[in-house]
Amino acid sequence: MNPGEFDQFWTNSVDSIRHALEHFFELSNQQRHSEEIHHQKWIVISAALAAESFFKAVLLQANEEISNGDTYHSLPRTIQALKPLRLPKSESLITKVAKKVSDQRDEILHRPYDSEIELSHSAILLFGLLKVIERRVDDRPTGIVAECQLLSQEMLAQIKHTSLAEYKRVINQFVAEDYSDQPVEPCPECGANSVLVLAGECVACFADLGHVTCEQCGEGRFYSLDAGDPGCETCFQQSAAI
């Protein structure tokens, strides 16, 4: 592996993630609605570029080819080249999401696109890339992880209801692989099975969580500090059944 080439792709990936985050932030600003299509477009393009660069870095780590002669692989070809590596199931799921974002990028760049661009897969891809980065690049500065944490709610807000099951499937798989020895519970904010009980934090959306024990039944529960404690669901269901 050429360390310099790896560094270039790693830097390109971080820059693209950061660029996507900037547009997620701008999109969340209510005063910028007139520029929504601009931010949506660049989120998709940046997410695809981030995935392509990072997957090339992964191939370099494994001493695999990332080009045909003088031409570097496209994102779909890069994803194809990853298959012999027998990636963990979680990372294979992310490559499938990346392929969807790649197709969407091609639509934006080469064909007329809708007045509103779907961002669900771009957001899921970035959440997934963050987990892969935490797993594979532990010996490098990961300030980008903290930046994603700060804007995680803006990213989560762009995942449509119809895509939440896919988000949960991806995140649940990462958590099952990386935290198999720890008890986990569903996150009251994003719904993924991603709250580490002992740490009291969601490792998917990084929501600010509180914890309380019901005085009646003694059952503990996590709740979103932003939304407030909705009360004990168990006691509520029992009361409704009477």
Side-chain angles (χ1 to χ4, degrees), residues 33-233:
H33 274 311
S34 61
E35 299 179 10
E36 275 191 0
I37 192 67
H38 169 77
H39 300 305
Q40 292 167 346
K41 177 180 70 175
W42 282 107
I43 285 171
V44 173
I45 294 172
S46 298
L49 287 173
E52 183 173 331
S53 295
F54 188 75
F55 291 154
K56 284 188 171 75
V58 171
L59 287 171
L60 285 172
Q61 279 184 322
N63 294 314
E64 296 288 337
E65 293 294 331
I66 62 171
S67 64
N68 296 320
D70 295 331
T71 305
Y72 282 108
H73 295 333
S74 63
L75 179 51
R77 180 66 185 85
T78 299
I79 291 171
Q80 189 70 23
L82 288 168
K83 289 186 177 181
L85 299 186
R86 298 184 181 276
L87 298 175
K89 184 177 179 180
S90 57
E91 296 182 19
S92 293
L93 288 174
I94 281 300
T95 62
K96 292 179 181 178
V97 178
K99 179 61 170 60
K100 295 177 182 178
V101 176
S102 176
D103 291 343
Q104 195 176 14
R105 176 186 61 178
D106 289 347
E107 288 285 338
I108 291 171
L109 294 178
H110 305 299
R111 302 175 185 87
Y113 52 83
D114 295 334
S115 58
E116 182 178 350
I117 298 174
E118 168 69 62
L119 296 179
S120 294
H121 289 117
S122 292
I124 295 171
L125 176 58
L126 290 172
F127 275 120
L129 281 177
L130 177 61
K131 306 312 296 179
V132 183
I133 287 171
E134 289 179 312
R135 175 186 289 173
R136 287 183 173 269
V137 200
D138 57 0
D139 61 335
R140 291 173 178 273
T142 52
I144 192 63
V145 173
E147 292 180 46
C148 286
Q149 291 175 351
L150 289 174
L151 288 171
S152 60
Q153 296 308 301
E154 285 79 357
M155 294 162 58
L156 189 64
Q158 296 299 329
I159 302 177
K160 292 187 179 297
H161 178 74
T162 51
S163 296
L164 283 176
E166 184 173 15
Y167 164 78
K168 293 176 187 178
R169 183 165 58 252
V170 169
I171 295 301
N172 289 350
Q173 187 62 40
F174 272 103
V175 174
E177 292 172 3
D178 292 346
Y179 303 99
S180 59
D181 60 339
Q182 298 189 43
V184 295
E185 290 187 5
C187 175
E189 191 71 30
C190 72
N193 204 37
S194 52
V195 175
L196 303 185
V197 174
L198 298 180
E201 63 180 7
C202 177
V203 294
C205 75
F206 313 103
D208 291 326
L209 302 177
H211 186 270
V212 66
T213 301
C214 178
E215 295 180 356
Q216 290 185 320
C217 69
E219 185 172 317
R221 63 182 178 274
F222 289 98
Y223 64 93
S224 167
L225 290 177
D226 289 336
D229 180 14
C232 180
E233 183 177 349

